[in-house]
Amino acid sequence: MEQEKQQQGDTPVSLSTRDARTIFQALSEQPFKYVYELIGKLNATTNGAKPEKRNGIDYYEYRFTEPEFELMVHSLGKLPYERVYTVIEMLKRSCPTQTSREEA
């Protein structure tokens, strides 16, 4: 039941292996106690799902909660802009709170 409840609040996001790797790198720079659950979730999805090929690039379907979006964007913001700006923009577009803020 708890997993069902969590999945209802999750937003699906399709990430390329490169984008996911960038997120892993950003999270690895943060204190472990804040990011270990999200890193575990990313690993479980990557290792448990079959990628979808688009233009020869593997994409995985992840599901994130709003706090997870915020943690990823915050972590990515600590890395050099030229490495992360496309991933940050994609996450912001995917986050339900960002979408509703832009519509208001």
Side-chain angles (χ1 to χ4, degrees):
M1 174 122 152
E2 180 64 31
Q3 187 178 17
E4 222 175 84
K5 184 179 176 185
Q6 183 181 6
Q7 287 183 344
Q8 288 176 348
D10 289 356
T11 301
V13 178
S14 183
L15 294 173
S16 70
T17 51
R18 180 180 178 187
D19 291 344
R21 192 174 314 117
T22 301
I23 292 170
F24 275 114
Q25 290 169 347
L27 292 171
S28 72
E29 299 292 324
Q30 300 302 310
F32 185 72
K33 66 182 180 181
Y34 298 122
V35 298
Y36 75 93
E37 289 178 347
L38 181 53
I39 289 173
K41 184 176 183 176
L42 286 164
N43 272 326
T45 300
T46 303
N47 293 328
K50 185 174 179 174
E52 177 186 329
K53 285 259 191 222
R54 293 187 220 153
N55 298 323
I57 298 170
D58 288 342
Y59 283 81
Y60 290 88
E61 185 78 17
Y62 297 90
R63 298 187 70 82
F64 300 118
T65 63
E66 184 178 334
E68 290 168 339
F69 275 105
E70 291 172 3
L71 180 57
M72 287 185 289
V73 171
H74 172 78
S75 299
L76 288 163
K78 306 255 183 204
L79 296 179
Y81 179 76
E82 60 276 357
R83 282 186 52 204
V84 299
Y85 73 93
T86 57
V87 181
I88 290 173
E89 288 305 312
M90 184 271 310
L91 289 173
K92 284 183 175 180
R93 284 192 308 273
S94 300
C95 180
T97 303
Q98 287 293 326
T99 305
S100 62
R101 285 181 191 158
E102 290 172 4
E103 290 173 356

